[in-house]
Amino acid sequence: MQHLPSTPISDTDMILIQEIYARAFDNDEAMKNLKEELLGASDLPPSEVVLRPENHGLGTMETLPVGDGSDEILRSYGAFDMKLDPSSEYIDFTNIHPLFRVENCALGLNEEVTRKGWEAMAPARALATKFITTPELSAFWYRLAFGTPAVHSGKRYLARSPLEDQPKLARVSFESLLLDLSTKLHFWWAPTCLGGIQTLGCFTTSIFGVVGALNPSEGRAIAARSGHQYNQGEYFDGYISLSVKYLYHLLSQASSVRTDGCAMLRIQSSIAHSLCHEICHAIYSYRGLEMPEAYVFLSDEMAEAGFSFPFNVFGAEVGPVSNAQLSNEIGCFYGSDWRSMFGFPQLRTIVNMRWVEAWFRKDTWERIDEVMKNDLLKLPSATGFSGPALWVVHRFTESPFGKGFYSIHYRDRKAVFPEWAIGKVDGPPEGVTVDQWFTEISRRDKEAALAVGISEDIFIDPKGLYKNEVQP
């Protein structure tokens, strides 16, 4: 694969890019608080921009519909706390792939803050290293890296490659790919919101995609002046962003991670998942495959490489509870299947803290073959299970506040929160899986909502965003 030099950018536009980057944080609550804490009221200038070309793979920061007063339920389930073992029981946080070296930070806030933030996320970089280099997890990565584009029943996907039947050669080839990426992939801290939505991270194929994500009109103008033309497959020069919200929690003394080891594990785990999500997009782009993305596996429900990773490795998309406002707390983790990524209504499972901690343990990785073969850490994503232990679902019902959709917590097939829903909102009966129940109850709730005049617009087809099929 030939990699050509980056498109040249004038010194004037270089300065403009730095100004656009700095301005992007003017109204960012996380950055304003971090500035005040680290540097008083002084400005935090951007470091020198390293240029390495379209915005792709925007990962959203999900908001789990958790009602006020539900923390006691979640805490009793083990979603927040557990007794942690001595550090000797956890993986080596210095064993990190060169892909994640600090020199690959192309856009920072200043050199010292960038380096401190990168060093503080060493556990996340070590866990991401495990995810991408451990042979027992290689089935996903080899399909993404070497799968052959194919079509089945109108569905574009990556078919099994002959290289996947040669494990030693596949491993050497994938290691070579990762090492090449480590010289061509760059990381940057992004504002909490990109394109009007909260993001944990995103991937772009050039500095022009980065500027376009921060200021679309200026990005197009700079790209036009540079004469930039993106030609997929001829060269690779990718950028992965991480939310400055992560940086806030890594460096701020006000964050709960300072005193809560479990909160620290959750933020490090979330960063590792974000890194892997965006690396999936980077590998797909690196290969120069047809866009929009194909399904990685024929069995995938979404044509989105970043989400294919957690669905195939963990059994569900996993992420932290968040909200639109800056919070010093790191919420519990949820798990969701493809329908609840972007669709509405949604069903989310609550992830026990033991699951988060397990991925950092040495003994998990020492027996990773057994873990993967026996699905010991596969999450109940509401598909094919009799029922996850604790979950939250949007239900249409009447509350003291009126008729509408409310977040109802269920455990052992019964509503357990809020109080007004207990005994009034039905759960799945015995013998019916949560998947079957959710499919049916969502249909009935929609019919009931429409009957009382609720707008059709609130209902979202989960396949609408990532349905990639060949038109006849």
Side-chain angles (χ1 to χ4, degrees):
M1 182 175 180
Q2 183 183 12
H3 294 275
L4 303 179
S6 300
T7 303
I9 297 179
S10 70
D11 291 343
T12 300
D13 278 341
M14 278 285 294
I15 295 173
L16 179 56
I17 289 174
Q18 292 173 340
E19 292 174 350
I20 290 170
Y21 184 60
R23 287 200 307 269
F25 293 98
D26 285 348
N27 298 312
D28 192 287
E29 197 69 23
M31 182 47 57
K32 285 195 291 187
N33 285 15
L34 195 57
K35 277 185 182 182
E36 291 176 3
E37 184 176 335
L38 298 180
L39 299 173
S42 63
D43 290 333
L44 191 61
S47 60
E48 180 181 356
V49 177
V50 182
L51 297 182
R52 298 300 168 200
E54 318 310 325
N55 188 357
H56 170 62
L58 196 68
T60 61
M61 181 172 289
E62 301 294 338
T63 302
L64 181 68
V66 176
D68 292 338
S70 64
D71 278 7
E72 183 178 345
I73 300 261
L74 301 176
R75 197 169 296 280
S76 67
Y77 172 65
F80 291 106
D81 306 305
M82 65 172 290
K83 185 178 184 299
L84 299 178
D85 286 330
S87 58
S88 59
E89 298 300 314
Y90 299 102
I91 60 175
D92 178 6
F93 295 154
T94 65
N95 184 15
I96 296 172
H97 195 277
L99 181 65
F100 304 120
R101 57 186 178 167
V102 69
E103 290 79 9
N104 284 352
C105 291
L107 287 171
L109 302 157
N110 70 20
E111 185 175 349
E112 181 183 6
V113 172
T114 297
R115 183 171 291 275
K116 282 183 177 180
W118 208 247
E119 290 173 352
M121 57 184 268
R125 292 185 288 137
L127 182 58
T129 295
K130 290 283 192 184
F131 285 148
I132 66 175
T133 62
T134 301
E136 287 78 7
L137 275 66
S138 64
F140 169 80
W141 296 108
Y142 292 172
R143 180 60 55 89
L144 176 62
F146 311 123
T148 303
V151 177
H152 178 80
S153 299
K155 192 173 182 179
R156 287 179 45 238
Y157 74 107
L158 300 181
R160 186 176 182 84
S161 163
L163 191 58
E164 295 176 66
D165 296 320
Q166 304 178 64
K168 290 183 179 179
L169 180 57
R171 183 172 184 177
V172 170
S173 298
F174 189 64
E175 288 174 351
S176 177
L177 183 154
L178 290 179
L179 285 175
D180 195 35
L181 273 181
S182 71
T183 68
K184 298 175 173 68
L185 190 60
H186 314 277
F187 300 89
W188 61 289
W189 293 108
T192 305
C193 288
L194 282 177
I197 60 173
Q198 288 196 83
T199 65
L200 292 173
C202 84
F203 169 73
T204 65
T205 58
S206 73
I207 189 66
F208 301 104
V210 171
V211 180
L214 297 172
N215 188 317
S217 61
E218 290 282 14
R220 289 191 294 269
I222 293 172
R225 286 195 294 270
S226 73
H228 163 68
Q229 291 183 340
Y230 177 57
N231 189 351
Q232 222 168 5
E234 286 191 5
Y235 59 89
F236 179 86
D237 206 8
Y239 282 77
I240 286 175
S241 78
L242 290 175
S243 171
V244 74
K245 208 167 186 180
Y246 282 145
L247 186 66
Y248 172 83
H249 285 291
L250 291 171
L251 298 183
S252 173
Q253 292 300 312
S255 172
S256 63
V257 305
R258 301 274 75 80
T259 56
D260 185 344
C262 289
M264 175 62 85
L265 283 187
R266 291 197 297 277
I267 198 70
Q268 297 287 354
S269 178
S270 181
I271 295 171
H273 290 198
S274 292
L275 287 170
C276 289
H277 179 113
E278 304 308 335
I279 286 169
C280 291
H281 294 305
I283 290 174
Y284 191 95
S285 177
Y286 177 89
R287 294 187 60 190
L289 296 173
E290 180 184 354
M291 294 294 293
E293 288 180 345
Y295 296 85
V296 178
F297 290 88
L298 185 60
S299 57
D300 286 353
E301 295 284 357
M302 300 177 74
E304 213 277 7
F307 290 133
S308 181
F309 170 71
F311 289 147
N312 284 287
V313 175
F314 307 132
E317 164 64 358
V318 190
V321 172
S322 177
N323 59 51
Q325 303 301 317
L326 177 66
S327 171
N328 293 330
E329 303 296 323
I330 303 298
C332 66
F333 269 30
Y334 65 80
S336 66
D337 71 0
W338 63 274
R339 294 172 302 178
S340 292
M341 291 298 306
F342 300 105
F344 185 86
Q346 296 177 337
L347 178 150
R348 301 288 177 91
T349 61
I350 303 301
V351 177
N352 193 287
M353 187 61 215
R354 293 194 307 272
W355 184 91
V356 179
E357 187 252 5
W359 287 106
F360 287 95
R361 297 189 61 87
K362 282 182 181 177
D363 51 13
T364 297
W365 294 98
E366 288 169 354
R367 54 188 286 219
I368 193 63
D369 183 57
E370 177 189 359
V371 168
M372 299 307 294
K373 282 184 178 178
N374 296 305
D375 292 338
L376 298 184
L377 288 176
K378 273 288 176 74
L379 287 170
S381 63
T383 301
F385 289 77
S386 60
L390 181 66
W391 71 98
V392 183
V393 61
H394 290 117
R395 293 299 313 274
F396 178 76
T397 187
E398 186 169 1
S399 81
F401 314 103
K403 290 183 178 179
F405 279 89
Y406 298 92
S407 300
I408 310 299
H409 291 51
Y410 290 88
R411 190 168 187 177
D412 298 329
R413 299 181 178 271
K414 295 180 180 179
V416 293
F417 181 86
E419 289 187 4
W420 56 260
I422 298 172
K424 300 177 183 178
V425 181
D426 56 321
E430 291 294 336
V432 176
T433 67
V434 172
D435 177 67
Q436 294 168 336
W437 170 79
F438 181 56
T439 299
E440 174 60 19
I441 211 70
S442 296
R443 182 189 63 78
R444 284 167 38 193
D445 281 353
K446 180 177 179 180
E447 290 177 353
L450 293 175
V452 297
I454 289 181
S455 173
E456 174 94 27
D457 294 342
I458 72 168
F459 302 103
I460 303 172
D461 175 10
K463 278 197 172 182
L465 285 174
Y466 296 107
K467 185 177 181 181
N468 189 355
E469 298 180 2
V470 177
Q471 298 300 313

